[in-house]
Amino acid sequence: PAAKATPAATSAATPITYNLTFAEPYCFPSLTGGLHCFALITNEEEQTLSSLSAEFTLSDSESGEVIHQQADLPLAHLSPGESLPFYLFFPPPVFSQPQVAVTLVSASEARLEDGAAVSAAVEELKVTIAVDGASAGVSGTIAFEGSEPPGEVVLLAVAYDASGRVVGIRRGSLHQEWGGSDTPTFNITVFSGGGVIDHVLVFASAEN
């Protein structure tokens, strides 16, 4: 008799036990026929987390076809109580009425060598929203807390509509030899991909 097939060995995925919550993902079409997708995640833990990634899934109820893509969090760290958006662009073609889901793929506790010992906070934030709500200019300063200033600060401007949904993000970085009484400043513009901007928040992450 023919030998019985031996099932392939499988390894169980390590469960992510951190207390993280997702808001309902929000997607809107691009001018080219693709799809912009955002999903806010909130850190409910008492410690800073890092290495966060998520998987977005588009499914078509008629054809049964499914598309998967992964995205990393735009900043290296997610502080306790903080909410940041995952962002992903699905290039065309996409389904006309897709069902969207998002799941967490990875997360870990931030270590001192990851740069979490130095924190960067946004101060003196000024937001000027355009009359049509399609863009907003943001400026401010960065304050550091830690043993020594970092070599780089990564900024993330997040634009929300009146219902609290993310409609646009803008990521930038400041490279400078910090020292003395220097106060890093920034001035960037964030654009809406779909919807009227109601308010903008800016987050900063210190990188060594």
Side-chain angles (χ1 to χ4, degrees):
K4 293 183 179 179
T6 302
T10 59
S11 58
T14 302
I16 300 172
T17 58
Y18 297 109
N19 189 10
L20 295 156
T21 57
F22 273 109
E24 188 74 19
Y26 175 54
C27 299
F28 47 84
S30 69
L31 295 177
T32 60
L35 200 66
H36 297 283
C37 289
F38 296 96
L40 274 173
I41 189 170
T42 301
N43 181 6
E44 306 287 359
E45 297 286 344
E46 295 182 356
Q47 70 263 28
T48 298
L49 300 177
S50 65
S51 304
L52 281 87
S53 63
E55 181 177 77
F56 286 78
T57 302
L58 297 185
S59 57
D60 184 17
S61 58
E62 294 184 0
S63 66
E65 188 177 353
V66 179
I67 303 175
H68 303 275
Q69 278 201 73
Q70 287 191 14
D72 295 328
L73 201 66
L75 293 185
H77 304 113
L78 185 62
S79 299
E82 193 172 68
S83 299
L84 289 176
F86 283 100
Y87 165 72
L88 192 62
F89 176 70
F90 287 93
V94 294
F95 316 127
S96 58
Q97 293 183 329
Q99 296 177 329
V100 185
V102 60
T103 55
L104 188 65
V105 174
S106 66
S108 62
E109 187 173 348
R111 301 169 298 176
L112 294 181
E113 55 266 32
D114 293 333
V118 179
S119 63
V122 176
E123 297 183 345
E124 301 177 14
L125 181 64
K126 296 181 180 179
V127 179
T128 304
I129 301 175
V131 176
D132 59 1
S135 64
V138 291
S139 62
T141 62
I142 304 295
F144 301 119
E145 291 183 4
S147 56
E148 61 182 35
E152 179 186 9
V153 176
V154 179
L155 297 171
L156 183 70
V158 183
Y160 303 83
D161 64 12
S163 63
R165 297 181 301 188
V166 178
V167 294
I169 62 172
R170 180 72 181 274
R171 188 177 185 273
S173 60
L174 300 175
H175 299 268
Q176 185 175 328
E177 291 295 331
W178 318 112
S181 59
D182 291 348
T183 301
T185 61
F186 64 90
N187 192 330
I188 56 179
T189 301
V190 58
F191 299 90
S192 170
V196 176
I197 296 176
D198 178 76
H199 60 284
V200 179
L201 299 179
V202 180
F203 305 87
S205 176
E207 308 290 336
N208 288 320

